[in-house]
Amino acid sequence: MSWNDERVELLSKLWLEGRSASQIAAELGLGVTRNAVIGKVHRLGLSGRAKIAAPAATQGRLRPKAPQKAEQDRMPSPLTAQPLVEPEPETETVAAPVATPIADVVIPFSTRVTIMDLRESMCRWPIGDPASAEFRYCGSKSALGPYCMDHARLAFQPTQERRRVERFARIA
């Protein structure tokens, strides 16, 4: 595909009419792609385009711009100005769900282990600050997975219960 003077002239005319690159490529035919049209337009330095009215389908989706009020309409007169009193927000009383509290898991200090003593069948629940020397892991016998039964209940909460608790926590 080569750009001769006739094709360049047609491209320029269609571009300035406001046609899209895809429409121009279809009009030129013979293996001209949308990207070829865009590249040629940029090389020719064609930037100005005529605006085409938006199709009826897109016009309905655009919101009309609200008319601007004059400055004096927006500013209340000092003689008629009323003190601004904010209405009290209406509060809806929603009973928070009563979550079944999970008792704090008490791990005897004797079963807590360091990373060096941790084995495959031991609970890997971290206890304490990892930066401190007292940091340990639970070390109890793990059932299935990385945690013992008590820590598995803390780690793996049912999705519905967790969402319900989060929703009511945001309201409160």
Side-chain angles (χ1 to χ4, degrees):
M1 200 280 314
S2 64
W3 290 100
N4 56 26
D5 293 336
E6 186 179 297
R7 294 181 105 182
V8 170
E9 190 176 317
L10 181 59
L11 166 72
S12 300
K13 179 180 152 268
L14 295 173
W15 183 259
L16 293 175
E17 285 177 3
R19 301 253 184 114
S20 70
S22 299
Q23 292 170 335
I24 296 171
E27 182 97 16
L28 292 173
L30 297 173
V32 178
T33 64
R34 173 185 168 273
N35 287 338
V37 170
I38 293 171
K40 190 64 175 177
V41 165
H42 286 290
R43 286 190 299 276
L44 291 172
L46 301 175
S47 60
R49 294 180 61 136
K51 298 284 183 186
I52 296 178
T58 60
Q59 285 179 352
R61 284 185 264 157
L62 299 176
R63 280 196 229 153
K65 190 173 181 181
Q68 292 277 335
K69 289 186 174 182
E71 188 65 31
Q72 68 252 16
D73 290 345
R74 280 188 257 149
M75 298 296 288
S77 164
L79 300 175
T80 62
Q82 298 291 324
L84 293 177
V85 178
E86 291 187 23
E88 292 184 26
E90 295 180 22
T91 57
E92 184 179 314
T93 56
V94 177
V98 180
T100 55
I102 300 174
D104 290 332
V105 180
V106 179
I107 300 116
F109 195 74
S110 60
T111 60
R112 297 178 185 182
V113 294
T114 64
I115 190 76
M116 300 304 290
D117 299 324
L118 195 60
R119 300 291 172 244
E120 189 174 329
S121 62
M122 294 179 162
C123 177
R124 291 169 174 73
W125 188 266
I127 300 170
D129 181 18
S132 72
E134 290 83 32
F135 179 72
R136 300 284 189 267
Y137 292 91
C138 172
S140 299
K141 181 157 178 61
S142 63
L144 293 172
Y147 305 123
C148 63
M149 292 302 288
D150 294 325
H151 287 126
R153 269 188 278 136
L154 289 173
F156 304 112
Q157 298 175 9
T159 307
Q160 293 298 327
E161 175 70 18
R162 185 173 62 241
R163 285 187 187 147
R164 186 170 63 89
V165 170
E166 287 172 359
R167 184 176 58 237
F168 284 108
R170 282 183 291 207
I171 292 172

